[in-house]
């Protein structure tokens, strides 16, 4: 662990022990990325920035989490109902009672703040709901005074007000037309996006210690893989709906919900009184800015590269739109501006340095990877009951085939997964060539791709079951891979 000293000679921790502890391995895994992105050498200043970010958190989220963990009736405490009402624009909305499925209880007797009401339709513009950004100042004024339905003259505490100001104030760099185009690009990617995010992003992220160990500490190894996949899928599908990321729209609320959930996890596991206290000296903060930057890189840069590897052309205009969409999402999630980028190639360069900063694989990684593969048998597929075992077997073999091609033999063995020939890529590549390079060249063809993408994403989401309507968002362990 690198350190310096302060003015009185006391040591100041600069990096956690995990930082660059498996740099040669990270360089090996990132070699294709380095060559493709033409990364010239290692930027020491950028590595230092990533290393310091392991001890940085989302300050606004942390302040709100601290206020939500205060004892009942303590001055300044923020309740789950206040948060729900604030994210709904000040209006009290009915919803499931606290303690249901989702992020789960995080501290003491406090339950989760519950699922946020969402319109699950993807066939009409969500912008028809309350998504006008011009309403944000008025809504901030409403929640800045009294929260409707939370009791007479109940002022919103400062931590909640500060977070709301941050997520409702739209930066000058946001281009709503580009955000909408990015959502349309992601819809057109359809199952290709779902495949890359599951295989290269999620399972690929299990090759590094730290966030995987956090998931193990939350009980993810004891079950619930299908639920976690469903919630992440629901969140990503919601982001691609038209108008869904404008302030107070459904995906905006779900994304801010994810941010607060992450802050609560961070606050809970960093508590020194907790029996399974997090090893901050080794891993950094439970959820930190370096890992958040890595997660964001998996949803923009890695998604683009993975889809290209599946034969999907992603021209510069589509790349720019996708990057802009995820830059806005990253801002809502509380990612530091240093790690928010518009340029795909700058993201690839950042992702490569993130790989160099990582630790090696930990015991949690293989367990989590095998749980994802096993979850394919738990999904409910379209068709009669007698067909389910055959379809489940096909999906498992397809997943292993694509993982072998994406991750490579050595990573598959590290994760304890069986190797398969790349037969899935052999049929996906020509299909994508037909869809995107032939049919997708016309406006009508792109419209058909949009409809196909929605159908496939909807079918995949339905196969995970109904469950909670709370969008979990990205697992805190997702890493650039």
């Amino acid at each position: 662990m690198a350190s310096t000293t302060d003015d009185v000679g006391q040591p100041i921790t600069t990096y956690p022990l995990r930082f660059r502890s498996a740099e040669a391995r990270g360089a090996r895994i990132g070699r294709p990325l380095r060559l493709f992105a033409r990364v010239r050498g290692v930027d020491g200043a950028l590595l230092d920035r990533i290393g310091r970010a392991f001890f940085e958190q989302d300050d606004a989220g942390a302040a709100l989490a601290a206020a939500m963990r205060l004892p009942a009736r303590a001055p300044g405490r923020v309740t789950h109902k206040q948060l729900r009402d604030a994210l709904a624009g000040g209006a009290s909305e009915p919803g499931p009672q606290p303690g249901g499925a989702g992020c789960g209880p995080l501290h003491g007797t406090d339950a989760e703040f519950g699922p946020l009401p969402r319109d699950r339709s993807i066939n009409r513009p969500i912008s028809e709901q309350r998504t006008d950004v011009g309403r944000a100042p008025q809504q901030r004024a409403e929640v800045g005074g009294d929260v409707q339905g939370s009791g007479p003259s109940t002022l919103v505490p400062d931590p909640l007000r500060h977070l709301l100001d941050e997520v409702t104030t739209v930066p000058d760099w946001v281009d709503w037309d580009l955000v909408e185009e990015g959502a349309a690009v992601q819809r057109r990617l359809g199952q290709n996006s779902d495949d890359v995010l599951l295989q290269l992003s999620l399972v690929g992220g299990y090759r590094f210690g730290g966030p995987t160990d956090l998931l193990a500490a939350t009980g993810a190894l004891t079950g619930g893989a299908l639920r976690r996949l469903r919630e992440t899928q629901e969140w990503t599908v919601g982001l691609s709906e038209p108008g869904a990321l404008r302030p107070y729209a459904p995906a905006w609320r779900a994304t801010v919900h994810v941010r607060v959930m992450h802050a609560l996890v961070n606050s809970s596991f960093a508590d020194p009184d907790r029996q399974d206290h997090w090893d901050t000296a080794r891993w950094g903060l439970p959820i930190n800015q370096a890992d958040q930057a890595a997660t964001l890189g998996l949803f923009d840069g890695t998604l683009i590269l993975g889809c290209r590897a599946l034969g999907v052309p992603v021209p510069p205009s589509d790349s720019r739109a996708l990057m802009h969409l995820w830059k806005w999402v990253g801002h809502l999630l509380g990612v530091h501006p240093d790690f928010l980028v518009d340029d795909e190639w700058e993201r690839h360069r950042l992702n490569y340095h993130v790989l160099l900063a990582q630790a090696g694989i930990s015991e949690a990684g293989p367990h989590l990877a095998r749980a994802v593969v096993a979850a394919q048998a738990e999904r409910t597929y379209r068709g009669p009951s007698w067909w389910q075992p055959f379809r489940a077997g096909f999906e498992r073999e397809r997943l292993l085939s694509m993982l072998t091609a994406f991750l490579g033999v050595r990573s598959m063995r590290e994760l304890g997964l069986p190797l398969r020939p790349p037969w899935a890529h052999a049929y996906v590549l020509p299909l994508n060539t037909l869809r995107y390079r032939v049919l997708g060249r016309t406006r009508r063809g792109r419209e058909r791709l949009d409809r196909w993408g929605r159908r496939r994403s909807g079918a995949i989401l339905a196969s995970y079951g109904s469950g909670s309507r709370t969008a979990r968002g990205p697992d805190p362990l997702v890493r650039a891979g």
Side-chain angles (χ1 to χ4, degrees), residues 147-162:
V147 175
Q148 299 176 25
S150 60
S153 301
T154 304
L155 294 178
V156 172
D158 285 341
L160 179 54
R161 187 197 315 274
H162 291 160

Side-chain angles (χ1 to χ4, degrees), residues 139-152:
Q139 290 170 315
R140 287 201 302 271
E142 290 172 358
V143 299
D146 299 339
V147 175
Q148 299 176 25
S150 60

